[in-house]
Amino acid sequence: VNLTQTPPVIKAVDFDKHLYELKKKERKNLTKKRKEGGGAISDRPLKEFKFRAGIDDHDLRRKTANMCRYLERGHAIRVTLTARKH
């Protein structure tokens, strides 16, 4: 692409193919980062766990077990504690 030249020269491309190539390059870079050991947490979705005051023991154990499982897999965790107003 050269717009300063007379006459201006442009390249006509298929936009869908261009997007596909960009996504393909991004996936390749992500797999390369994973193989090198970097970026394990940042490219995985954030998992959020919400706890309220008065949670039952079984529910607390189940949620903490799930949190540990996700942490072992390399996910980022967000814990939200809420208290009810009385």
Side-chain angles (χ1 to χ4, degrees):
V1 178
N2 189 354
L3 298 177
T4 59
Q5 190 178 13
T6 305
V9 178
I10 62 168
K11 181 179 179 182
V13 294
D14 184 9
F15 188 67
D16 290 330
K17 184 176 179 180
H18 176 68
L19 287 178
Y20 171 75
E21 293 294 330
L22 289 176
K23 288 180 183 179
K24 186 176 171 182
K25 189 182 294 186
E26 185 178 327
R27 280 194 308 264
K28 186 177 178 181
N29 288 338
L30 281 178
T31 55
K32 189 184 292 185
K33 274 171 66 174
R34 285 184 186 158
K35 285 181 183 177
E36 293 172 358
I41 291 178
S42 64
D43 57 350
R44 298 228 173 133
L46 177 71
K47 300 293 183 179
E48 183 172 6
F49 290 90
K50 296 181 179 181
F51 294 94
R52 283 199 219 172
I55 188 170
D56 191 40
D57 290 337
H58 178 266
D59 295 334
L60 181 64
R61 280 186 270 130
R62 182 181 52 84
K63 284 188 177 190
T64 53
N66 285 339
M67 281 181 10
C68 291
R69 190 178 72 216
Y70 282 121
L71 284 172
E72 288 171 355
R73 292 181 186 172
H75 290 267
I77 301 289
R78 176 185 296 158
V79 178
T80 306
L81 302 172
T82 56
R84 293 183 181 173
K85 295 180 182 177
H86 288 297

